[in-house]
Amino acid sequence: MVIKIQVKIICIICMFFTFGCVCSAMPADVIDTPYEDAVEALSALKIIQNNNDNLFKPYDMMTRAEFTVLIARMLGIPGIKETENSFRDIDDSYWAAGEINSMVKYNNRIINGFEDGRFIPDASITYDQAVKMLVCALGYESYAQQKGGYPMGY
């Protein structure tokens, strides 16, 4: 629950250095909360999108697939479903298959699966996994490797 908010804040900090804030419609459950500005900026940049019930659900756990989609949108990488699936537990019908496969094709060091070939997209993302993905997405993987690699160097 806290991870989702922390990850969103980290993303918005990264985005402010690149873009700046633009206003857009707000999900009903973030109005008058401490993270309203971050959600507003990320929504305006189309990094996060409202779901069907117009709720952001900031206290729900974020999954590995959801975070991968955020990183893909942050980097401007469109989802490509016409490619071979990168992990054995992702099929073409999975909602985030395009973004997951695109991220592997774009840079296979940003997201990783497990030794058995699965990505486990619906598992909650850990803090270590989220930080690793952000560090790699921002281009600091070699620095993190010099500091000891995953997870301590990130």
Side-chain angles (χ1 to χ4, degrees), residues 15-76:
M15 296 312 297
F16 271 127
F17 286 111
T18 307
F19 299 104
C21 184
V22 182
C23 297
S24 102
M26 290 297 298
D29 58 346
V30 297
I31 295 172
D32 296 325
T33 64
Y35 39 88
E36 179 179 5
D37 291 339
V39 171
E40 182 177 22
L42 289 170
S43 294
L45 294 168
K46 303 204 183 311
I47 293 173
I48 59 172
Q49 298 174 350
N50 288 345
N51 55 22
N52 294 338
D53 56 5
N54 193 34
L55 297 175
F56 179 66
K57 301 180 181 176
Y59 297 107
D60 288 359
M61 294 299 294
M62 181 174 276
T63 67
R64 291 170 50 84
E66 290 169 335
F67 195 74
T68 299
V69 170
L70 288 179
I71 295 292
R73 289 177 184 161
M74 183 178 84
L75 295 174

Short mmCIF file of all heavy atoms in Angstrom, two decimals, residues 15-76:
data_model
loop_
_atom_site.label_atom_id
_atom_site.label_comp_id
_atom_site.label_asym_id
_atom_site.label_seq_id
_atom_site.Cartn_x
_atom_site.Cartn_y
_atom_site.Cartn_z
N MET A 15 9.55 12.88 -13.41
CA MET A 15 8.85 13.56 -14.49
C MET A 15 8.96 15.08 -14.37
O MET A 15 9.05 15.77 -15.37
CB MET A 15 7.38 13.15 -14.52
CG MET A 15 7.18 11.67 -14.82
SD MET A 15 8.11 11.05 -16.23
CE MET A 15 7.42 12.02 -17.53
N PHE A 16 8.97 15.62 -13.18
CA PHE A 16 9.11 17.06 -13.02
C PHE A 16 10.44 17.54 -13.59
O PHE A 16 10.53 18.62 -14.15
CB PHE A 16 8.99 17.49 -11.56
CG PHE A 16 7.59 17.79 -11.15
CD1 PHE A 16 7.05 17.18 -10.04
CD2 PHE A 16 6.80 18.66 -11.86
CE1 PHE A 16 5.75 17.44 -9.64
CE2 PHE A 16 5.49 18.94 -11.48
CZ PHE A 16 4.97 18.32 -10.37
N PHE A 17 11.47 16.75 -13.46
CA PHE A 17 12.76 17.14 -14.00
C PHE A 17 12.74 17.13 -15.52
O PHE A 17 13.54 17.80 -16.16
CB PHE A 17 13.87 16.22 -13.49
CG PHE A 17 14.21 16.48 -12.07
CD1 PHE A 17 13.90 15.55 -11.09
CD2 PHE A 17 14.82 17.66 -11.69
CE1 PHE A 17 14.21 15.81 -9.76
CE2 PHE A 17 15.13 17.91 -10.37
CZ PHE A 17 14.82 16.98 -9.41
N THR A 18 11.83 16.39 -16.12
CA THR A 18 11.78 16.29 -17.56
C THR A 18 10.72 17.19 -18.18
O THR A 18 10.96 17.81 -19.19
CB THR A 18 11.49 14.82 -17.97
OG1 THR A 18 12.44 13.98 -17.33
CG2 THR A 18 11.58 14.64 -19.46
N PHE A 19 9.55 17.26 -17.57
CA PHE A 19 8.43 17.92 -18.23
C PHE A 19 7.88 19.14 -17.48
O PHE A 19 7.78 20.20 -18.01
CB PHE A 19 7.27 16.94 -18.45
CG PHE A 19 7.64 15.79 -19.31
CD1 PHE A 19 7.87 14.55 -18.76
CD2 PHE A 19 7.78 15.96 -20.67
CE1 PHE A 19 8.21 13.49 -19.56
CE2 PHE A 19 8.13 14.90 -21.48
CZ PHE A 19 8.35 13.66 -20.92
N GLY A 20 7.43 18.99 -16.28
CA GLY A 20 6.69 20.02 -15.59
C GLY A 20 5.24 19.60 -15.43
O GLY A 20 4.83 18.59 -15.95
N CYS A 21 4.45 20.38 -14.74
CA CYS A 21 3.09 19.97 -14.38
C CYS A 21 2.05 20.57 -15.32
O CYS A 21 2.11 21.73 -15.66
CB CYS A 21 2.80 20.41 -12.95
SG CYS A 21 1.20 19.85 -12.37
N VAL A 22 1.12 19.75 -15.74
CA VAL A 22 -0.01 20.16 -16.54
C VAL A 22 -1.26 19.60 -15.85
O VAL A 22 -1.24 18.49 -15.36
CB VAL A 22 0.08 19.59 -17.97
CG1 VAL A 22 -1.08 20.06 -18.81
CG2 VAL A 22 1.40 19.98 -18.61
N CYS A 23 -2.31 20.34 -15.81
CA CYS A 23 -3.51 19.90 -15.08
C CYS A 23 -4.40 19.00 -15.94
O CYS A 23 -4.43 19.12 -17.15
CB CYS A 23 -4.32 21.11 -14.63
SG CYS A 23 -3.39 22.13 -13.48
N SER A 24 -5.13 18.12 -15.29
CA SER A 24 -6.09 17.25 -15.97
C SER A 24 -7.13 16.79 -14.96
O SER A 24 -7.05 17.11 -13.79
CB SER A 24 -5.35 16.09 -16.62
OG SER A 24 -5.44 14.91 -15.91
N ALA A 25 -8.11 16.01 -15.42
CA ALA A 25 -9.17 15.53 -14.54
C ALA A 25 -8.60 14.61 -13.46
O ALA A 25 -7.68 13.85 -13.71
CB ALA A 25 -10.21 14.79 -15.36
N MET A 26 -9.18 14.69 -12.28
CA MET A 26 -8.65 13.94 -11.13
C MET A 26 -9.57 12.78 -10.76
O MET A 26 -10.78 12.93 -10.75
CB MET A 26 -8.57 14.86 -9.92
CG MET A 26 -7.51 15.92 -10.01
SD MET A 26 -5.87 15.23 -10.12
CE MET A 26 -5.78 14.39 -8.56
N PRO A 27 -8.97 11.64 -10.41
CA PRO A 27 -9.78 10.57 -9.83
C PRO A 27 -10.38 11.05 -8.50
O PRO A 27 -9.74 11.80 -7.75
CB PRO A 27 -8.78 9.45 -9.60
CG PRO A 27 -7.62 9.78 -10.47
CD PRO A 27 -7.59 11.27 -10.58
N ALA A 28 -11.60 10.63 -8.23
CA ALA A 28 -12.34 11.12 -7.07
C ALA A 28 -11.65 10.82 -5.73
O ALA A 28 -11.78 11.58 -4.78
CB ALA A 28 -13.74 10.54 -7.07
N ASP A 29 -10.90 9.72 -5.64
CA ASP A 29 -10.33 9.32 -4.36
C ASP A 29 -8.98 9.95 -4.03
O ASP A 29 -8.35 9.60 -3.04
CB ASP A 29 -10.25 7.79 -4.24
CG ASP A 29 -9.42 7.16 -5.33
OD1 ASP A 29 -9.10 7.84 -6.33
OD2 ASP A 29 -9.08 5.97 -5.19
N VAL A 30 -8.51 10.90 -4.84
CA VAL A 30 -7.26 11.59 -4.51
C VAL A 30 -7.44 13.08 -4.28
O VAL A 30 -6.50 13.76 -3.89
CB VAL A 30 -6.17 11.37 -5.59
CG1 VAL A 30 -5.80 9.92 -5.68
CG2 VAL A 30 -6.58 11.93 -6.91
N ILE A 31 -8.64 13.56 -4.49
CA ILE A 31 -8.90 14.99 -4.28
C ILE A 31 -8.71 15.31 -2.80
O ILE A 31 -9.16 14.59 -1.92
CB ILE A 31 -10.31 15.37 -4.77
CG1 ILE A 31 -10.38 15.16 -6.29
CG2 ILE A 31 -10.67 16.81 -4.40
CD1 ILE A 31 -11.75 15.31 -6.88
N ASP A 32 -7.98 16.40 -2.53
CA ASP A 32 -7.68 16.86 -1.17
C ASP A 32 -6.85 15.86 -0.38
O ASP A 32 -7.03 15.71 0.83
CB ASP A 32 -8.96 17.21 -0.41
CG ASP A 32 -9.71 18.37 -1.05
OD1 ASP A 32 -9.04 19.29 -1.58
OD2 ASP A 32 -10.95 18.36 -1.02
N THR A 33 -5.94 15.18 -1.04
CA THR A 33 -5.01 14.28 -0.37
C THR A 33 -3.60 14.80 -0.60
O THR A 33 -3.37 15.63 -1.49
CB THR A 33 -5.10 12.84 -0.93
OG1 THR A 33 -4.70 12.85 -2.30
CG2 THR A 33 -6.51 12.28 -0.79
N PRO A 34 -2.63 14.34 0.19
CA PRO A 34 -1.25 14.82 0.02
C PRO A 34 -0.64 14.50 -1.34
O PRO A 34 0.31 15.14 -1.76
CB PRO A 34 -0.48 14.10 1.13
CG PRO A 34 -1.50 13.67 2.11
CD PRO A 34 -2.77 13.47 1.34
N TYR A 35 -1.14 13.50 -2.03
CA TYR A 35 -0.56 13.11 -3.31
C TYR A 35 -1.40 13.56 -4.50
O TYR A 35 -1.19 13.10 -5.62
CB TYR A 35 -0.30 11.60 -3.36
CG TYR A 35 -1.37 10.78 -2.70
CD1 TYR A 35 -2.48 10.34 -3.40
CD2 TYR A 35 -1.28 10.46 -1.35
CE1 TYR A 35 -3.46 9.60 -2.79
CE2 TYR A 35 -2.27 9.73 -0.73
CZ TYR A 35 -3.35 9.31 -1.45
OH TYR A 35 -4.32 8.59 -0.83
N GLU A 36 -2.33 14.46 -4.28
CA GLU A 36 -3.18 14.94 -5.37
C GLU A 36 -2.35 15.56 -6.50
O GLU A 36 -2.59 15.27 -7.68
CB GLU A 36 -4.19 15.97 -4.86
CG GLU A 36 -5.09 16.53 -5.94
CD GLU A 36 -6.11 17.53 -5.42
OE1 GLU A 36 -6.08 17.87 -4.22
OE2 GLU A 36 -6.94 17.97 -6.23
N ASP A 37 -1.36 16.38 -6.17
CA ASP A 37 -0.56 17.04 -7.21
C ASP A 37 0.23 16.02 -8.04
O ASP A 37 0.33 16.15 -9.26
CB ASP A 37 0.40 18.05 -6.58
CG ASP A 37 -0.32 19.25 -6.00
OD1 ASP A 37 -1.47 19.53 -6.38
OD2 ASP A 37 0.29 19.91 -5.13
N ALA A 38 0.78 15.00 -7.39
CA ALA A 38 1.53 13.98 -8.11
C ALA A 38 0.62 13.21 -9.06
O ALA A 38 0.98 12.98 -10.22
CB ALA A 38 2.21 13.02 -7.13
N VAL A 39 -0.55 12.84 -8.60
CA VAL A 39 -1.50 12.11 -9.45
C VAL A 39 -1.95 13.00 -10.61
O VAL A 39 -2.06 12.54 -11.75
CB VAL A 39 -2.70 11.60 -8.62
CG1 VAL A 39 -3.78 11.02 -9.51
CG2 VAL A 39 -2.22 10.57 -7.60
N GLU A 40 -2.18 14.26 -10.32
CA GLU A 40 -2.61 15.18 -11.37
C GLU A 40 -1.55 15.30 -12.46
O GLU A 40 -1.85 15.24 -13.65
CB GLU A 40 -2.90 16.55 -10.76
CG GLU A 40 -3.39 17.57 -11.77
CD GLU A 40 -3.74 18.90 -11.12
OE1 GLU A 40 -3.24 19.20 -10.02
OE2 GLU A 40 -4.51 19.63 -11.74
N ALA A 41 -0.30 15.46 -12.06
CA ALA A 41 0.78 15.59 -13.04
C ALA A 41 0.96 14.31 -13.85
O ALA A 41 1.11 14.34 -15.07
CB ALA A 41 2.08 15.97 -12.34
N LEU A 42 0.95 13.16 -13.18
CA LEU A 42 1.11 11.89 -13.88
C LEU A 42 -0.06 11.61 -14.81
O LEU A 42 0.11 11.04 -15.89
CB LEU A 42 1.30 10.75 -12.88
CG LEU A 42 2.63 10.74 -12.16
CD1 LEU A 42 2.61 9.72 -11.02
CD2 LEU A 42 3.77 10.46 -13.11
N SER A 43 -1.27 12.03 -14.42
CA SER A 43 -2.43 11.87 -15.29
C SER A 43 -2.32 12.76 -16.52
O SER A 43 -2.61 12.33 -17.63
CB SER A 43 -3.72 12.22 -14.53
OG SER A 43 -3.96 11.31 -13.50
N ALA A 44 -1.88 13.99 -16.31
CA ALA A 44 -1.73 14.92 -17.43
C ALA A 44 -0.69 14.42 -18.43
O ALA A 44 -0.84 14.63 -19.64
CB ALA A 44 -1.35 16.30 -16.91
N LEU A 45 0.32 13.75 -17.93
CA LEU A 45 1.37 13.21 -18.80
C LEU A 45 1.00 11.85 -19.39
O LEU A 45 1.79 11.24 -20.09
CB LEU A 45 2.67 13.10 -18.00
CG LEU A 45 3.27 14.43 -17.56
CD1 LEU A 45 4.38 14.22 -16.55
CD2 LEU A 45 3.77 15.21 -18.77
N LYS A 46 -0.19 11.38 -19.06
CA LYS A 46 -0.72 10.10 -19.53
C LYS A 46 0.12 8.90 -19.08
O LYS A 46 0.16 7.87 -19.74
CB LYS A 46 -0.91 10.12 -21.04
CG LYS A 46 -1.82 11.24 -21.50
CD LYS A 46 -2.46 10.95 -22.81
CE LYS A 46 -3.30 12.07 -23.33
NZ LYS A 46 -4.23 12.68 -22.48
N ILE A 47 0.75 9.05 -17.94
CA ILE A 47 1.50 7.94 -17.35
C ILE A 47 0.56 7.06 -16.56
O ILE A 47 0.67 5.84 -16.57
CB ILE A 47 2.67 8.46 -16.51
CG1 ILE A 47 3.70 9.12 -17.42
CG2 ILE A 47 3.31 7.33 -15.71
CD1 ILE A 47 4.81 9.82 -16.72
N ILE A 48 -0.38 7.68 -15.87
CA ILE A 48 -1.43 6.92 -15.20
C ILE A 48 -2.76 7.32 -15.83
O ILE A 48 -2.91 8.43 -16.33
CB ILE A 48 -1.47 7.15 -13.67
CG1 ILE A 48 -1.67 8.62 -13.33
CG2 ILE A 48 -0.22 6.61 -13.01
CD1 ILE A 48 -1.90 8.87 -11.86
N GLN A 49 -3.70 6.38 -15.82
CA GLN A 49 -5.01 6.63 -16.40
C GLN A 49 -6.08 6.19 -15.42
O GLN A 49 -5.89 5.21 -14.69
CB GLN A 49 -5.16 5.87 -17.71
CG GLN A 49 -4.16 6.30 -18.75
CD GLN A 49 -4.22 5.44 -20.00
OE1 GLN A 49 -4.87 4.42 -20.04
NE2 GLN A 49 -3.50 5.87 -21.02
N ASN A 50 -7.19 6.91 -15.43
CA ASN A 50 -8.32 6.52 -14.59
C ASN A 50 -8.84 5.17 -15.03
O ASN A 50 -8.87 4.85 -16.22
CB ASN A 50 -9.45 7.54 -14.68
CG ASN A 50 -9.12 8.83 -13.98
OD1 ASN A 50 -8.19 8.91 -13.20
ND2 ASN A 50 -9.89 9.86 -14.27
N ASN A 51 -9.28 4.38 -14.06
CA ASN A 51 -9.95 3.14 -14.42
C ASN A 51 -11.43 3.42 -14.63
O ASN A 51 -11.87 4.57 -14.56
CB ASN A 51 -9.70 2.06 -13.36
CG ASN A 51 -10.12 2.51 -11.98
OD1 ASN A 51 -10.93 3.41 -11.82
ND2 ASN A 51 -9.56 1.89 -10.96
N ASN A 52 -12.22 2.43 -14.89
CA ASN A 52 -13.62 2.61 -15.24
C ASN A 52 -14.45 3.28 -14.16
O ASN A 52 -15.44 3.93 -14.45
CB ASN A 52 -14.25 1.27 -15.63
CG ASN A 52 -13.65 0.72 -16.90
OD1 ASN A 52 -13.09 1.47 -17.71
ND2 ASN A 52 -13.75 -0.58 -17.09
N ASP A 53 -14.07 3.13 -12.88
CA ASP A 53 -14.87 3.73 -11.82
C ASP A 53 -14.32 5.08 -11.34
O ASP A 53 -14.72 5.59 -10.31
CB ASP A 53 -15.03 2.76 -10.63
CG ASP A 53 -13.70 2.29 -10.07
OD1 ASP A 53 -12.64 2.77 -10.53
OD2 ASP A 53 -13.72 1.46 -9.16
N ASN A 54 -13.42 5.69 -12.12
CA ASN A 54 -12.83 6.99 -11.81
C ASN A 54 -12.16 7.03 -10.44
O ASN A 54 -12.24 8.01 -9.73
CB ASN A 54 -13.86 8.11 -11.94
CG ASN A 54 -13.19 9.48 -11.95
OD1 ASN A 54 -12.09 9.65 -12.46
ND2 ASN A 54 -13.85 10.46 -11.36
N LEU A 55 -11.52 5.94 -10.08
CA LEU A 55 -10.78 5.87 -8.82
C LEU A 55 -9.33 5.51 -9.10
O LEU A 55 -9.04 4.73 -10.00
CB LEU A 55 -11.40 4.83 -7.89
CG LEU A 55 -12.83 5.10 -7.44
CD1 LEU A 55 -13.35 3.92 -6.62
CD2 LEU A 55 -12.91 6.39 -6.63
N PHE A 56 -8.45 6.08 -8.33
CA PHE A 56 -7.03 5.80 -8.46
C PHE A 56 -6.60 4.64 -7.57
O PHE A 56 -5.68 3.92 -7.88
CB PHE A 56 -6.25 7.07 -8.08
CG PHE A 56 -4.78 6.92 -8.15
CD1 PHE A 56 -4.14 6.71 -9.36
CD2 PHE A 56 -4.00 7.00 -7.00
CE1 PHE A 56 -2.77 6.59 -9.43
CE2 PHE A 56 -2.63 6.87 -7.07
CZ PHE A 56 -2.02 6.67 -8.28
N LYS A 57 -7.30 4.47 -6.47
CA LYS A 57 -7.05 3.39 -5.50
C LYS A 57 -5.60 3.41 -4.99
O LYS A 57 -4.86 2.44 -5.16
CB LYS A 57 -7.42 2.05 -6.11
CG LYS A 57 -8.88 1.97 -6.52
CD LYS A 57 -9.25 0.64 -7.10
CE LYS A 57 -10.71 0.67 -7.52
NZ LYS A 57 -11.13 -0.54 -8.18
N PRO A 58 -5.20 4.51 -4.38
CA PRO A 58 -3.80 4.65 -3.96
C PRO A 58 -3.36 3.68 -2.87
O PRO A 58 -2.16 3.47 -2.69
CB PRO A 58 -3.73 6.09 -3.46
CG PRO A 58 -5.12 6.40 -3.04
CD PRO A 58 -6.00 5.66 -4.00
N TYR A 59 -4.28 3.09 -2.17
CA TYR A 59 -3.90 2.18 -1.08
C TYR A 59 -3.91 0.71 -1.50
O TYR A 59 -3.60 -0.15 -0.71
CB TYR A 59 -4.79 2.42 0.14
CG TYR A 59 -4.60 3.83 0.67
CD1 TYR A 59 -5.58 4.79 0.50
CD2 TYR A 59 -3.42 4.19 1.29
CE1 TYR A 59 -5.39 6.08 0.95
CE2 TYR A 59 -3.21 5.48 1.75
CZ TYR A 59 -4.20 6.43 1.57
OH TYR A 59 -4.00 7.71 2.01
N ASP A 60 -4.26 0.45 -2.76
CA ASP A 60 -4.17 -0.91 -3.28
C ASP A 60 -2.71 -1.21 -3.59
O ASP A 60 -1.94 -0.32 -3.95
CB ASP A 60 -4.99 -1.07 -4.56
CG ASP A 60 -6.49 -1.08 -4.30
OD1 ASP A 60 -6.90 -0.97 -3.14
OD2 ASP A 60 -7.23 -1.17 -5.30
N MET A 61 -2.34 -2.46 -3.49
CA MET A 61 -0.99 -2.86 -3.85
C MET A 61 -0.83 -2.75 -5.37
O MET A 61 -1.74 -3.05 -6.12
CB MET A 61 -0.72 -4.30 -3.41
CG MET A 61 -0.70 -4.50 -1.90
SD MET A 61 0.57 -3.55 -1.05
CE MET A 61 2.04 -4.32 -1.67
N MET A 62 0.34 -2.32 -5.80
CA MET A 62 0.63 -2.22 -7.22
C MET A 62 1.27 -3.53 -7.68
O MET A 62 2.12 -4.08 -6.99
CB MET A 62 1.58 -1.06 -7.49
CG MET A 62 1.91 -0.89 -8.95
SD MET A 62 2.88 0.59 -9.25
CE MET A 62 1.54 1.78 -9.34
N THR A 63 0.86 -4.00 -8.83
CA THR A 63 1.40 -5.26 -9.35
C THR A 63 2.63 -4.99 -10.23
O THR A 63 2.87 -3.86 -10.66
CB THR A 63 0.36 -6.02 -10.19
OG1 THR A 63 0.08 -5.26 -11.38
CG2 THR A 63 -0.92 -6.27 -9.39
N ARG A 64 3.34 -6.06 -10.53
CA ARG A 64 4.49 -5.96 -11.42
C ARG A 64 4.06 -5.49 -12.81
O ARG A 64 4.76 -4.69 -13.43
CB ARG A 64 5.19 -7.32 -11.50
CG ARG A 64 5.87 -7.72 -10.20
CD ARG A 64 6.36 -9.17 -10.20
NE ARG A 64 7.14 -9.57 -11.36
CZ ARG A 64 8.44 -9.36 -11.52
NH1 ARG A 64 9.12 -8.77 -10.56
NH2 ARG A 64 9.06 -9.77 -12.61
N ALA A 65 2.91 -5.94 -13.27
CA ALA A 65 2.40 -5.50 -14.57
C ALA A 65 2.05 -4.02 -14.56
O ALA A 65 2.39 -3.29 -15.49
CB ALA A 65 1.19 -6.33 -14.97
N GLU A 66 1.36 -3.56 -13.53
CA GLU A 66 0.98 -2.15 -13.44
C GLU A 66 2.22 -1.25 -13.44
O GLU A 66 2.25 -0.23 -14.13
CB GLU A 66 0.16 -1.89 -12.18
CG GLU A 66 -1.23 -2.48 -12.22
CD GLU A 66 -1.94 -2.43 -10.87
OE1 GLU A 66 -1.27 -2.41 -9.82
OE2 GLU A 66 -3.19 -2.44 -10.88
N PHE A 67 3.23 -1.64 -12.69
CA PHE A 67 4.44 -0.82 -12.62
C PHE A 67 5.18 -0.83 -13.96
O PHE A 67 5.71 0.19 -14.39
CB PHE A 67 5.35 -1.27 -11.48
CG PHE A 67 6.40 -0.25 -11.16
CD1 PHE A 67 6.08 0.91 -10.49
CD2 PHE A 67 7.71 -0.45 -11.56
CE1 PHE A 67 7.05 1.87 -10.21
CE2 PHE A 67 8.69 0.49 -11.28
CZ PHE A 67 8.36 1.66 -10.60
N THR A 68 5.19 -1.98 -14.62
CA THR A 68 5.83 -2.06 -15.94
C THR A 68 5.14 -1.13 -16.92
O THR A 68 5.79 -0.44 -17.71
CB THR A 68 5.80 -3.51 -16.46
OG1 THR A 68 6.54 -4.34 -15.54
CG2 THR A 68 6.39 -3.63 -17.85
N VAL A 69 3.81 -1.08 -16.87
CA VAL A 69 3.05 -0.18 -17.75
C VAL A 69 3.41 1.27 -17.44
O VAL A 69 3.60 2.09 -18.35
CB VAL A 69 1.54 -0.44 -17.64
CG1 VAL A 69 0.73 0.63 -18.35
CG2 VAL A 69 1.20 -1.82 -18.20
N LEU A 70 3.53 1.63 -16.16
CA LEU A 70 3.91 3.00 -15.79
C LEU A 70 5.28 3.36 -16.36
O LEU A 70 5.47 4.46 -16.90
CB LEU A 70 3.95 3.17 -14.27
CG LEU A 70 2.63 3.19 -13.53
CD1 LEU A 70 2.88 3.33 -12.03
CD2 LEU A 70 1.76 4.32 -14.01
N ILE A 71 6.24 2.45 -16.23
CA ILE A 71 7.58 2.72 -16.75
C ILE A 71 7.55 2.85 -18.27
O ILE A 71 8.18 3.74 -18.84
CB ILE A 71 8.57 1.60 -16.31
CG1 ILE A 71 8.74 1.59 -14.80
CG2 ILE A 71 9.92 1.77 -17.01
CD1 ILE A 71 9.45 2.76 -14.21
N ALA A 72 6.81 1.97 -18.94
CA ALA A 72 6.70 2.05 -20.41
C ALA A 72 6.11 3.40 -20.82
O ALA A 72 6.62 4.04 -21.75
CB ALA A 72 5.84 0.91 -20.94
N ARG A 73 5.07 3.84 -20.14
CA ARG A 73 4.47 5.14 -20.47
C ARG A 73 5.43 6.28 -20.16
O ARG A 73 5.51 7.26 -20.91
CB ARG A 73 3.16 5.33 -19.71
CG ARG A 73 2.06 4.42 -20.22
CD ARG A 73 0.81 4.59 -19.39
NE ARG A 73 -0.23 3.65 -19.80
CZ ARG A 73 -1.25 3.32 -19.04
NH1 ARG A 73 -1.40 3.87 -17.82
NH2 ARG A 73 -2.15 2.46 -19.47
N MET A 74 6.16 6.18 -19.05
CA MET A 74 7.12 7.21 -18.68
C MET A 74 8.19 7.36 -19.76
O MET A 74 8.61 8.47 -20.08
CB MET A 74 7.78 6.86 -17.34
CG MET A 74 8.75 7.90 -16.83
SD MET A 74 9.45 7.45 -15.23
CE MET A 74 10.79 6.39 -15.73
N LEU A 75 8.61 6.24 -20.34
CA LEU A 75 9.64 6.26 -21.38
C LEU A 75 9.08 6.47 -22.77
O LEU A 75 9.83 6.60 -23.74
CB LEU A 75 10.43 4.94 -21.34
CG LEU A 75 11.24 4.68 -20.08
CD1 LEU A 75 11.84 3.28 -20.11
CD2 LEU A 75 12.32 5.74 -19.90
N GLY A 76 7.74 6.49 -22.89
CA GLY A 76 7.11 6.68 -24.20
C GLY A 76 7.19 5.46 -25.09
O GLY A 76 7.20 5.57 -26.31
#
